[in-house]
Amino acid sequence: MEATYQKRSRVIFHVDCNSFFASCEIARDSSLKGKAVVVAGDPKERKGVVLAANYIAKQRFGIYTTMPLWEAKKRCPQLVVLKPDFHLYRKISEKVFQFLATFTPVLERASIDEGYLDITDCYSLGSPLDIAEQIQKELLQTLHIPVSIGIAPNKFLAKMASNMKKPLGITVLRKRDVPKVLWPLPVQEMHGIGDKTAKKLNNIGIFTIGELAKAEKVTLQNLLGITGVRLKEWANGIDPRPVDPESGEKWKSIGSSTTLPRNVTEERILLEVLRDLAQSVSNRMKQKGVVSSTVQIMIRYSNFQTITRSKTWENPFQEAEEIFQRAVYLLKRHWNGNPVRLLGITAVDVFDKKEAVKQLDLFHFEEEAKKESLWNTIERLQQKFGNSIIQRGSELFRDKSGDNGKSL
């Protein structure tokens, strides 16, 4: 068995929980088995948006994520609609990864519902197929969570393999299979390529993974930078990235604090400091691609007494304005009015942005999309012309009145 593993070089699993949010709901309530189930922003509202759907809803009725709830109900009048319970999903996710860790410590969480395992040294547990079948069987029996597993010599191929058979699939994808299995597929079906990248590739005549694999390296680098080079390697079945057990643990919290040059009792000055701190925290969260639902502030008084206070909100956030407003709430609630020497803001228990579930009706969904576009435009202008190029009305008023915080 050991010789078989060595011949195959690395052996990587990608374990992907099938329709995870819906599966968690069915695991909690067995009466939902065999029914079409969706998780939606607000089941009571006609304007709700589908956030997740189980395979019965997907395959029998063509329901998909982001579909308006009224349309989903029209396609399936008996549809079971549930509000998201993110606490439940994270709790079950923890149990899934605790179970996977019993096979190998070389385990990397890719998101709340998927992860990579390097089982190269696990030959004493049986063949890769034996191990995959055991994982799949026990997760279904103990946690009632169906998973698909991709088996390959690297992470990219394992990820592509796990997508090929859902639900409850086990797929082996070897490097020698790439020309036959992957190359005929359109580029948008390749892991790592979104709609925008696919359009850029299409514009230069690259429509399939095979055409990407054969494209000139310089052409791709000019078009997509270093990402283009990496995508070409992946399209040829090459991915040297190790399974990194620490990748999911590196950013548990992101914070920023500042010691004030003097003791401050003016609320307006403290709010200005909070706004700067919120912007700093937001920038770092965006760089790491994470969000949070919990804000913590730290207040150190002139006598060096230090307090920390936090609050968790229902919806995850990342934007500076949202962080600022939550920090202001905490400051107004917990500051005792004494002189302040230090302020800090921390986004606690950050997690991958892909995990975020926001309970939005269709109207709010559209408003959020508009707001994100506006924030992106503002950020581009500020990066090019400086932060003062666009200001809120309240900021202009403070500037005119001479209170712009520069006295600090």
Side-chain angles (χ1 to χ4, degrees), residues 151-384:
I151 306 173
N154 60 54
K155 289 165 69 174
F156 168 73
L157 292 179
K159 169 71 173 179
M160 293 296 292
S162 69
N163 284 329
M164 291 179 178
K165 294 178 185 176
K166 290 186 175 182
L168 289 172
I170 297 177
T171 305
V172 177
L173 183 60
R174 302 174 180 85
K175 189 175 177 182
R176 65 173 180 265
D177 300 327
V178 168
K180 181 180 178 181
V181 177
L182 295 188
W183 283 4
L185 300 176
V187 288
Q188 55 264 37
E189 292 190 22
M190 178 172 155
H191 171 58
I193 295 183
D195 291 339
K196 291 182 179 179
T197 301
K199 287 179 182 177
K200 289 181 180 179
L201 292 170
N202 292 167
N203 288 339
I204 63 170
I206 297 176
F207 294 91
T208 67
I209 296 177
E211 290 169 342
L212 174 61
K214 298 170 187 176
E216 292 292 333
K217 179 178 177 180
V218 174
T219 301
L220 294 173
Q221 191 163 10
N222 290 338
L223 181 69
L224 301 171
I226 191 64
T227 299
V229 178
R230 183 177 70 246
L231 291 176
K232 176 179 170 65
E233 291 179 346
W234 288 3
N236 282 287
I238 301 168
D239 181 10
R241 295 174 300 159
V243 174
D244 181 5
E246 296 183 0
S247 66
E249 306 297 325
K250 290 177 180 176
W251 304 105
K252 285 295 185 183
S253 63
I254 294 178
S256 183
S257 63
T258 185
T259 300
L260 311 180
R262 63 177 176 84
N263 298 328
V264 175
T265 56
E266 298 91 341
E267 182 181 275
R268 65 184 184 279
I269 296 178
L270 296 178
L271 295 184
E272 191 67 30
V273 173
L274 283 183
R275 188 179 291 282
D276 290 341
L277 293 174
Q279 186 65 61
S280 174
V281 172
S282 174
N283 289 343
R284 291 169 61 198
M285 291 175 73
K286 290 177 180 179
Q287 289 173 2
K288 303 303 175 185
V290 296
V291 295
S292 175
S293 297
T294 304
V295 164
Q296 174 182 282
I297 66 165
M298 178 169 61
I299 305 171
R300 179 169 297 158
Y301 294 107
S302 57
N303 63 359
F304 293 99
Q305 176 193 3
T306 303
I307 66 168
T308 58
R309 297 292 185 269
S310 64
K311 178 175 170 59
T312 299
W313 279 264
E314 184 176 13
N315 293 325
F317 48 81
Q318 185 190 62
E319 296 295 341
E321 184 65 23
E322 293 177 292
I323 297 170
F324 171 69
Q325 293 295 340
R326 286 157 174 76
V328 169
Y329 168 86
L330 291 169
L331 180 73
K332 289 180 177 291
R333 190 175 182 87
H334 298 290
W335 176 40
N336 64 13
N338 289 339
V340 175
R341 188 66 174 177
L342 177 146
L343 275 180
I345 299 177
T346 301
V348 181
D349 293 332
V350 299
F351 55 96
D352 193 293
K353 189 176 181 180
K354 292 182 292 184
E355 299 179 19
V357 174
K358 197 164 187 180
Q359 300 178 34
L360 301 172
D361 60 27
L362 185 57
F363 171 78
H364 287 137
F365 184 87
E366 292 170 348
E367 289 301 305
E368 286 290 307
K370 292 176 185 176
K371 186 170 73 173
E372 183 167 346
S373 177
L374 174 61
W375 286 124
N376 290 340
T377 301
I378 291 173
E379 286 174 357
R380 287 195 298 270
L381 288 171
Q382 289 178 332
Q383 288 170 5
K384 187 172 183 180

Side-chain angles (χ1 to χ4, degrees), residues 29-70:
D29 182 358
S30 60
S31 69
L32 298 175
K33 288 182 180 179
K35 298 178 181 179
V37 178
V38 300
V39 175
D42 190 344
K44 297 179 181 178
E45 292 292 333
R46 176 178 169 81
K47 297 178 293 184
V49 177
V50 173
L51 300 174
N54 71 344
Y55 279 89
I56 294 176
K58 290 177 180 178
Q59 295 173 351
R60 293 186 190 174
F61 302 98
I63 295 170
Y64 56 85
T65 302
T66 73
M67 174 182 281
L69 188 54
W70 65 264

